Amino acid sequence: MTNCCNVKTEEVQINQKFNHLLGKHPCFSARAHFKYGRIHLPVSPTCNIQCRFCKRCINKIENRPGVAAIVLTPKEAVKIVAKALELCPEISVVGIAGPGETLATDNALETFEMLNTKYPHLIKCLSTNGLMLDKYSERIIKSGVQTVSVTVNAVEPEILQYICSGIFWMGSYLEGYEGAEKLIQEQIKGIEKLSSKGIAVKVNTVLIPDLNYEHIEEIARVVSNAGASIINIIPLIPQHEMKGFRPPDCNELNDAREWAGKYLNVFRHCRQCRADACGIPGKGKELGNLLYDFPMETFSHG
């Protein structure tokens, strides 16, 4: 969760057709990262794949993806946005990134549909593992989502099977190579579909030195061909089944970003935020504690 040594800080050169949009998105643009705010709404309780490094938790202390203090209903989430805008008027983006998978339930899309009516001026951003991206692409577009982040950790099943142990697909649990192959297929189809419809797609890739370090350039090439505009390479946080793995060092992280940069713009300022993060990321001050520092019975569960 630390920015590596000697990380470049130049502005990401955003694809021209998305300039007007991504210039206000602090998770896509280096300049916006220090100027605009975002709020992540924790409305997605479950997941449909199992990554070996992922450990989803409900707590107030861990500062990493997959963690939130509470899981909200869509109605509660919309009310939280009003509170967040009071605390941080600079918020330009409402994102949903967990703590589970956003497309494993209807919660995220229901939330975006309501937000699109009440806050049409805010950028709606969906983060997903991509398994159901193609299936729900039309609804994603209709819900007002303008930017999508897809986590792609390999584009070859031979590699991904060691990162993702299995997926839930059409009522079955697919393990190993079979599950990895299906996940990659659906991710690429989803990226192609959404990018062809004018959605800005960023790919997040977790860099695991012992597994996908030499594969990063191929990931960037494949997702670029599919229509992605930006890639964000983030260091492994060793935990769960990968608690014995090492994170990348600074040279490895910078090398990977250079390789990926042959094909895509590279975002270099990711803070690996919680699923309930709020505030301007580049200022380093999170407002989540203030945001949820009142009785939840204030909200209606009806």
Side-chain angles (χ1 to χ4, degrees), residues 44-49 56 97-105 108 126-133:
S44 302
T46 62
C47 198
N48 51 12
I49 74 173
R56 296 177 294 277
E101 160 57 26
T102 50
L103 299 178
T105 66
L126 173 79
S127 294
T128 174
N129 60 38
L131 180 61
M132 307 303 291
L133 198 56

Side-chain angles (χ1 to χ4, degrees), residues 270-286:
C270 179
R271 298 181 62 86
Q272 292 178 274
C273 300
R274 287 169 56 97
D276 57 4
C278 178
I280 301 172
K283 291 190 175 180
K285 183 179 179 181
E286 284 297 330

